[in-house]
Amino acid sequence: MLNFDDNNLEENEDSFSDSFLEWDESQKKGLPPGYFDPDELCEIIDTYLSLDKVAEGKIALEYALRVHPDNEDMIYDIMQILNDYELWDDLLYLTNQYKHIEQVWIDGHKITSLLHLGMEENAFTCFRQAKQKYASNKEDLSIIYQAMAEALYDIDLYDAAINVIKEILSKIDIEEKEDLLWIQLQSYLALKDTENVQKLCDQIIKSNPMDAETWSRLGLIYKEIGEKEKSIDAFEFAASLGKKEPIDMLNLIYSYKENGNFLKALEIVDEYLDKSPNDYIINLLASNICMEIEDWEKALKYTDKAISIGPSSDFLYLYKSKCFLKLGEVKKAIKALDDGIIKSGDKSNELKSELERIKKENPEY
């Protein structure tokens, strides 16, 4: 989490909502806050917690529950926020405070918080009670099992998570199975059981064959278990189904590069850079790829772009000099190093050493 002091907060005011700034100002001045609706209060709580200002977040939380005590949507959102920031004691307290609300997410959060607090016996008791309570409702029953399995996975009890999911799969409809299958898959992955990971990948594909997000996630799984070709196929299929967000393009670029498909990687690089031309890392990556395939002119193009974005990086001038040398342009290689010494400061003296080497080998320059 980020840790801002009050000065940092003031300097970054533009990134905060008006409601948060109004609330924060009233707290600093010791004034009673004005009216804030449930959504605004949840956003205020979330912002404080994102800044690691837990005490301030709890003040806003207590105020929200005092002013809007019966707003179930807000209570749901607050519990989710506490879950996201792993404030398990506070989450458990709220699940007990609102146990009269007949909603499955109350029981789910209670199981989750108990497990994370190391109260496993209590968690399993709560789980058994919830299974009986929601036995007639497949959707709610699936949510309870998912909460239990996710929490077991989070605390590294992978075998237990797998067994919990196995218990429920035959009792629920296909629509409720996918999230559970993903938890099971991640558990097998953590156990390095690649055989069962592959089986579950196949099962997930059969249940949702035309979903771009599914294929993108599978691409990451295949990559992790070393199935490079399957990983590329999955990322490509996700792209063909319309998933072309920056992260998806990056996945394809790195997959192609790792698999030695350098020309394909460069195709996606250029497509990516059409949208984000000032991405320093991708220009640098493209330069490296071009050097690997000895396309020195293209490597120069990407290196020059990277230099325009980050002119103080001394190694970029080494790249540029190397490209010129490979192209037989010794004078330009020397100039690249001279420029680099001035612009980067050459703290490591690598540019100066390379410059001396080139001049020694080419005394005419």
Side-chain angles (χ1 to χ4, degrees):
M1 295 184 199
L2 300 174
N3 192 357
F4 287 91
D5 58 26
D6 289 338
N7 290 331
N8 294 136
L9 196 152
E10 289 171 8
E11 289 171 8
N12 290 274
E13 280 190 0
D14 290 345
S15 64
F16 302 121
S17 69
D18 290 341
S19 56
F20 173 78
L21 293 173
E22 183 183 340
W23 171 280
D24 191 64
E25 187 65 21
S26 70
Q27 294 300 297
K28 286 177 182 175
K29 292 180 177 179
L31 300 173
Y35 176 80
F36 293 88
D37 67 33
D39 289 340
E40 289 173 324
L41 287 165
C42 287
E43 186 271 334
I44 290 165
I45 296 163
D46 198 327
T47 302
Y48 275 127
L49 295 182
S50 74
L51 300 174
D52 205 15
K53 289 178 168 282
V54 178
E56 290 86 342
K58 288 184 180 181
I59 290 170
L61 187 156
E62 290 166 3
Y63 180 85
L65 295 175
R66 191 165 64 251
V67 175
H68 306 286
D70 301 317
N71 190 304
E72 289 190 12
D73 289 338
M74 185 192 72
I75 294 167
Y76 172 89
D77 289 339
I78 286 174
M79 287 191 181
Q80 191 57 53
I81 291 168
L82 292 175
N83 188 306
D84 291 343
Y85 290 98
E86 301 182 359
L87 295 173
W88 307 120
D89 282 310
D90 300 283
L91 181 57
L92 180 59
Y93 175 80
L94 284 191
T95 61
N96 288 324
Q97 184 176 345
Y98 290 99
K99 61 185 178 182
H100 60 278
I101 296 178
E102 293 294 320
Q103 294 286 358
V104 65
W105 41 269
I106 298 282
D107 295 295
H109 280 305
K110 184 170 186 176
I111 290 167
T112 299
S113 55
L114 286 168
L115 275 174
H116 280 93
L117 290 168
M119 302 166 69
E120 292 179 18
E121 188 175 338
N122 298 59
F124 276 96
T125 298
C126 184
F127 180 52
R128 283 193 296 272
Q129 292 169 346
K131 285 194 292 183
Q132 294 174 354
K133 182 177 178 181
Y134 300 104
S136 61
N137 186 318
K138 290 182 179 180
E139 184 177 349
D140 286 350
L141 190 62
S142 172
I143 290 170
I144 288 298
Y145 271 87
Q146 185 176 335
M148 186 66 171
E150 281 182 345
L152 289 168
Y153 173 83
D154 286 344
I155 61 173
D156 301 338
L157 294 177
Y158 306 121
D159 286 315
I162 290 166
N163 290 331
V164 162
I165 294 167
K166 283 180 178 178
E167 183 181 298
I168 186 63
L169 287 178
S170 62
K171 303 175 185 177
I172 56 176
D173 300 326
I174 188 69
E175 304 85 51
E176 281 89 41
K177 285 184 179 179
E178 188 171 350
D179 287 336
L180 290 163
L181 290 176
W182 277 108
I183 301 168
Q184 196 173 38
L185 187 154
Q186 293 286 354
S187 298
Y188 279 125
L189 190 63
L191 293 169
K192 303 188 186 306
D193 185 342
T194 55
E195 183 180 348
N196 274 307
V197 168
Q198 296 261 27
K199 287 179 182 178
L200 278 167
C201 285
D202 293 341
Q203 194 174 342
I204 288 169
I205 289 168
K206 287 178 183 177
S207 67
N208 209 354
M210 300 303 291
D211 181 71
E213 181 63 36
T214 294
W215 282 102
S216 182
R217 291 176 72 183
L218 287 171
L220 294 172
I221 298 296
Y222 286 131
K223 184 178 179 181
E224 193 160 341
I225 63 174
E227 291 283 352
K228 294 182 180 179
E229 290 293 342
K230 284 187 176 182
S231 177
I232 289 171
D233 289 343
F235 287 136
E236 286 180 336
F237 197 49
S240 74
L241 292 170
K243 200 161 190 325
K244 291 189 175 182
E245 296 166 23
I247 186 62
D248 303 301
M249 298 175 76
L250 289 175
N251 285 333
L252 257 181
I253 291 167
Y254 283 108
S255 294
Y256 282 138
K257 181 181 182 296
E258 289 170 14
N259 208 31
N261 297 344
F262 299 121
L263 294 179
K264 277 279 195 181
L266 287 174
E267 281 181 27
I268 308 299
V269 161
D270 287 335
E271 189 179 342
Y272 180 92
L273 290 175
D274 282 342
K275 299 176 182 178
S276 304
N278 295 320
D279 191 312
Y280 174 81
I281 296 298
I282 298 305
N283 277 287
L284 184 57
L285 174 65
S287 175
N288 276 292
I289 292 173
C290 289
M291 289 183 189
E292 288 202 49
I293 61 176
E294 299 186 352
D295 189 337
W296 305 109
E297 288 186 359
K298 268 193 173 180
L300 263 176
K301 180 188 79 170
Y302 293 117
T303 302
D304 275 335
K305 184 61 180 178
I307 287 173
S308 72
I309 301 165
S312 62
S313 300
D314 54 2
F315 68 89
L316 289 175
Y317 300 95
L318 289 171
Y319 282 14
K320 188 171 183 176
S321 175
K322 178 180 179 179
C323 291
F324 278 129
L325 287 176
K326 292 290 185 180
L327 292 167
E329 300 274 7
V330 178
K331 188 174 181 180
K332 289 182 179 179
I334 290 172
K335 186 178 185 308
L337 293 169
D338 281 332
D339 289 345
I341 290 169
I342 294 168
K343 293 177 181 176
S344 75
D346 191 25
K347 294 178 182 177
S348 65
N349 284 322
E350 287 187 58
L351 300 182
K352 193 176 291 182
S353 297
E354 177 65 1
L355 184 60
E356 290 171 357
R357 186 191 70 79
I358 293 173
K359 285 184 174 180
K360 187 175 181 180
E361 291 181 5
N362 301 274
E364 65 274 24
Y365 294 98

